[in-house]
Amino acid sequence: LTVELCTAACQASGFVFAGMEYAGECYCGNTFSNGGGPASDGEAGCSMACSGNATETCGGSNRLSVWDFNNAIAAVSSTLSSSATVSVSSTSASASATATGPAGWTALGCYTDGVGARALTNQVWTIPGASMTVEACTSACKALGYTFAGVEYADECYCGNTITATNGPATDGCTMACTGNAAEMCGGSNRINVFRSAAASTSTSATGTGTAVSTSLTSSSTSPVSTSLPTGWSYKGCWLDEVYGRILGYPQPEVATMTIESCVAVCKTAGYSVAGMQYHTQCYCGNEIINAGTTAPESDCNTPCGGNSAEMCGGGNRFSIYSNLTTVPVRALPKPQNTSLPGNWTYQGCLIDDAVVRTFPYQLEFATNNTAENCLNKCAEFGYGAGGMEYGEQCFCGDVANVIAAGATLQPESGCNMLCTGNSSYYCGGPSRIQYYTWSGPALDEWDFKTGAAAGEYKFLIGGLIIPLIAQPAVNGKVTFLEKFGTSPAANSTGAYELDLASLDNMTAAWRPMHVKSDVFCAGGLTLPDKVGRQVSIGGWANQDTHGIRLYWPDGSPGVWGKNDWQENWQEVSLVDGRWYPTAMTMANGSILVMGGEVGSNGAAVPTLEVMPLPKGSGSLYCDYLARTDPYNLYPYLAVLPSGGIFVAYYNEARILDEGSLQTSRVLPNIPGAVNNFLGGRTYPFEGTAMLLPQHAPYSDPLEVIICGGSTPGPEIALDNCVTIAPEKPNANWTVERMPSKRVISSMCALPDGTYIIMNGGQQGRAGFGLATQPNLNAVLYDPSKPLHRRMSVMSNTTVIRLYHSEAVLLPDGRVLVSGSDPEDERFPQEYRVEVWVPPYLTSGLTQPTFTSSSHDIAYGATWTVTVNLHQGTTANMRVSLLAAVSSTHGNSMGQRTIFPAFTCNGNVCTITAPPNAHVSPPAWHLLYVLDGPTPSVGQWVRIGGDPGGLGNWPNFPDFDLPGV
């Protein structure tokens, strides 16, 4: 297109205004319509060079460069001063620059055209697209004996002996310059410039009133069929394409030298049973004809193959089809799937979607198997009650609330026009359109929202001196805290303190300074089953600290300071392998299992496990699964199983180890992550939190593990679900339960009534300094006695942000101590304050029961008595629980276990039966609670199972005090 071409065309057609737009479009008229007027940005928007002359400007995007004839602008200048008053007084039109066609041809003007009903029915393929001119097309049609010629879409040529009845003169649209001569017009989109030969019969109609004539384009030197095909393959005819979309669904790369044989070979090798050739070089494959394809006249497939001109390879929107099937199946026109849907899903319609700000938060890709079933089942599995498919291969999940928030509305069904990659009988949305479904049955996951006393409450407990990274209740009724070096602003911390809960009104008396000799940054911990309940800290930050083993013998009493302190000497007792971020667990035999970690200070993996005290002649054991999943497996979750194995969960995997050899005995299914990312991690650094669900006498039900929260690699969107598994069951698998909110670097604490409180953390990011945002201030209660997907209650909120290095531990009085937050992030405070969360069983106003115990050291299967004083109920609705001592850090409560033992009562004297063995309940100290209805007593420390590993005599070195066994 050039300025001269467009103005000449408009003048020749009787118009006084000519306008050039978007580099290659020409428009004509005698007035300005639809509010057109001078652009508000002046000449700036007209910035595109003409496609036929780069030294001229031909408008821009939504901008016309306007020219007039004999100052015609003066007649409408007053109207143009206000675009709002411009009236439409004439119809604009585009015109061919060739007012009279080439010699022997007459230009008839611009006509309508369409793929399904061509104005001229025979397309010429012998003219290279880049060389198209009016002369080339008319010459080709003349040589073939046709009386009409037409040029379309800049580079297409059509011939015929009449113009079909469904087409006629157009008032606009022939705006594309010919690719071979920018000074000529070659139609437009669904518009064709038509020319008639002077030799045409006077009876030939050029106004669209005649009958369409199908004239074969044949050559004695070409054949549509190949005779060199693989065994079983044969020609199935010429087929019409693109009436409702492509009739073969799998395009192959274009090859300039394509032949029938080469296309068939490509499809056969790829496992398809149908091959189709089109337009010289295009090869498509499939196993059926889709989109209600139909056959076309054989003469329509008249394009020589790019690699063999003696063969025909389809035509314009025509396929030459070959197959190894006797009859090629034809699939009916697809539709939205609104029947045979999984579960209680209901089709709602074609929903608009914004490609930048998505309607739904979770996007999945099913490149080859997207269907309503696959997409919606995945959404339902993760608790999302709204979703659908887009762009053929995309699946989206979320909630109806997302649709409302996005302002997304239903659109005409025609916008959802892309086939599902997994089932071509149905549509899976379209560009920026979602095939939208909602769940109409009972809620997939349901939470109740507690208020008042039923929600529990957060309370300030005491100001802190340190920001702990490990919190550990001790058998002396106090809580020990360990921190990494350098956390305190004044850098004057001893690294360890003991909090006396009986002295909270006296800051000095409440905090007893203790001392460690090495940096305990990201160590592991346990309460030992020896007779004094020593605490052990294992591993550390760097160098010899990572080998460190530190022991504290709790002494003193509530209100009275003890004298003992942490003891350590790595030259006397140390780990075989130095470890940063290790986990420790008391084994059924009373030994300590230590697993995982890194060399220290973000160093290499330590993919091993070891046992303490170290058996003679042994060392550490290499774990290939830890090496493979480093660095996403730190602080793995460990648990002794009642059947005798050891459960371990790390990153997004889990397995069972043989407790004797410590080798893998069974690999469990991978742990689910996010609905759109199975790589979501549950251990540090994509840190979730884990617990063992309660065990009830007679302990015949399989033990269950729950893991809540975590995050995903990449965008690090926190997970909004908990997953549970009973690892000992045959064919064990994970169940996903959706949480009310996303949560990462959170804490979880077991309560005496068998419930669990989930708290702390953020909603985006991962574990580490400055790596988590969107603090989650809400507490969520998980009650495993309720039905699945109905177990969570939204509880009270705090105002204290707790992110990385925060903890939650159960106090003997039934409250939850909440501490820490060391984000090292100027956006969030370093948190020294200590809170308690008061559960509803204490905010209800009911009086706590009391009891006395006949023993505090009980053997497996043994019985002992408690004398109870109940205030609300009777022993008929009383319960007894045992909660094992924990060391809490990084969402890992090492040592945690909840047991409801059997008991009988005679009056107010009840006889309790201890768990039967060390697999049901590994040797440990427990808080014993009596529950009067929902209300627990103050817990008392009891030891179950003794010290079978002889830890009371370890480590036998001068720098360590030993309680004996």
Side-chain angles (χ1 to χ4, degrees), residues 97-295:
T98 309
T100 59
W105 291 82
T106 301
L108 300 182
C110 187
Y111 275 66
T112 60
D113 196 26
V115 172
R118 289 292 185 192
L120 300 175
T121 56
N122 297 284
Q123 187 170 1
V124 174
W125 301 99
T126 56
I127 306 170
S131 303
M132 185 61 66
T133 65
V134 172
E135 292 78 7
C137 181
T138 54
S139 296
C141 291
K142 180 179 180 180
L144 292 168
Y146 291 107
T147 56
F148 289 92
V151 282
E152 182 168 348
Y153 214 73
D155 62 359
E156 297 175 3
C157 175
Y158 295 87
C159 307
N161 286 317
T162 188
I163 300 173
T164 57
T166 54
N167 295 282
T171 57
D172 62 0
C174 288
T175 59
M176 294 185 177
C178 300
T179 55
N181 184 352
E184 295 179 336
M185 287 294 185
C186 278
S189 177
N190 290 326
R191 293 295 186 269
I192 185 168
N193 281 111
V194 179
F195 301 84
R196 183 178 60 191
S197 170
S201 168
T202 56
S203 63
T204 302
S205 171
T207 60
T209 59
T211 302
V213 177
S214 175
T215 303
S216 175
L217 291 178
T218 60
S219 169
S220 60
S221 63
T222 61
S223 170
V225 180
S226 169
T227 58
S228 303
L229 296 174
T231 302
W233 286 77
S234 62
Y235 180 59
K236 300 299 181 180
C238 183
W239 290 70
L240 185 64
D241 191 33
E242 288 281 26
V243 176
Y244 302 108
R246 290 292 187 191
I247 65 169
L248 289 177
Y250 302 98
Q252 306 303 308
E254 286 199 39
V255 178
T257 57
M258 185 186 73
T259 63
I260 294 172
E261 294 82 359
S262 67
C263 178
V264 169
V266 166
C267 294
K268 180 177 182 291
T269 301
Y272 296 107
S273 56
V274 181
M277 302 102 236
Q278 183 171 153
Y279 202 62
H280 302 286
T281 60
Q282 296 174 3
C283 175
Y284 284 72
C285 305
N287 291 310
E288 60 187 353
I289 300 294
I290 60 176
N291 283 324
T294 59
T295 57

Side-chain angles (χ1 to χ4, degrees), residues 447-791:
W447 320 290
D448 57 347
F449 293 77
K450 302 297 186 181
T451 59
E457 63 177 329
Y458 281 90
K459 287 186 174 180
F460 172 76
L461 185 68
I462 190 172
L465 300 180
I466 62 173
I467 301 175
L469 62 85
I470 301 174
Q472 189 167 351
V475 296
N476 61 358
K478 303 178 183 183
V479 182
T480 59
F481 292 110
L482 293 174
E483 71 161 344
K484 74 181 196 299
F485 281 177
T487 300
S488 300
N492 61 356
S493 169
T494 63
Y497 279 85
E498 186 174 60
L499 175 61
D500 189 340
L501 299 167
S503 303
L504 295 175
D505 57 349
N506 184 327
M507 189 76 169
T508 301
W511 292 102
R512 177 169 82 94
M514 300 178 71
H515 307 81
V516 287
K517 299 176 183 177
S518 56
D519 193 343
V520 300
F521 179 21
C522 297
L526 275 179
T527 294
L528 300 181
D530 63 31
K531 62 184 179 181
V532 297
R534 284 181 301 166
Q535 295 181 342
V536 62
S537 170
I538 301 165
W541 163 236
N543 302 320
Q544 295 305 325
D545 300 348
T546 63
H547 290 266
I549 297 176
R550 310 161 196 89
L551 288 154
Y552 165 57
W553 180 336
D555 65 336
S557 59
V560 179
W561 274 21
K563 297 180 180 179
N564 292 344
D565 208 336
W566 288 95
Q567 297 176 332
E568 63 178 300
N569 185 337
W570 66 268
Q571 293 178 316
E572 293 177 342
V573 60
S574 64
L575 292 168
V576 174
D577 296 331
R579 300 177 189 273
W580 186 48
Y581 292 104
T583 296
M585 182 200 76
T586 302
M587 300 175 67
N589 66 5
S591 300
I592 302 168
L593 177 66
V594 183
M595 174 180 278
E598 292 183 337
V599 169
S601 57
N602 296 305
V606 182
T608 64
L609 56 79
E610 59 185 278
V611 175
M612 302 190 312
L614 186 66
K616 288 185 179 180
S618 68
S620 61
L621 179 66
Y622 177 76
C623 304
D624 65 302
Y625 50 91
L626 294 181
R628 174 171 47 78
T629 55
D630 179 73
Y632 305 130
N633 57 30
L634 305 180
Y635 280 137
Y637 305 125
L638 296 173
V640 172
L641 295 175
S643 61
I646 295 172
F647 170 83
V648 52
Y650 51 95
Y651 181 32
N652 66 347
E653 298 182 7
R655 63 186 58 219
I656 297 174
L657 307 181
D658 179 271
E659 66 177 349
S661 66
L662 300 179
Q663 299 286 353
T664 299
S665 62
R666 180 182 172 193
V667 176
L668 296 168
N670 276 21
I671 306 170
V675 64
N676 64 336
N677 194 339
F678 66 90
L679 295 175
R682 302 287 183 166
T683 51
Y684 183 96
F686 304 127
E687 188 178 305
T689 183
M691 288 272 146
L692 301 181
L693 294 184
Q695 299 167 258
H696 296 265
Y699 314 109
S700 55
D701 292 332
L703 176 67
E704 290 186 278
V705 181
I706 184 170
I707 307 175
C708 294
S711 194
T712 55
E716 295 176 354
I717 304 300
L719 302 179
D720 66 352
N721 60 66
C722 296
V723 292
T724 53
I725 192 172
E728 297 163 292
K729 290 179 67 173
N731 303 314
N733 210 340
W734 297 89
T735 297
V736 180
E737 293 180 275
R738 188 174 168 194
M739 292 193 292
S741 56
K742 299 186 288 289
R743 204 177 290 264
V744 64
I745 56 172
S746 55
S747 304
M748 196 171 184
C749 181
L751 302 180
D753 62 354
T755 62
Y756 299 80
I757 192 69
I758 308 167
M759 49 184 41
N760 304 345
Q763 299 187 69
Q764 190 278 329
R766 63 191 289 183
F769 297 122
L771 298 180
T773 60
Q774 302 176 29
N776 196 326
L777 303 177
N778 176 249
V780 172
L781 189 72
Y782 185 88
D783 185 351
S785 69
K786 294 183 178 180
L788 277 167
H789 307 291
R790 301 293 185 272
R791 294 178 171 180

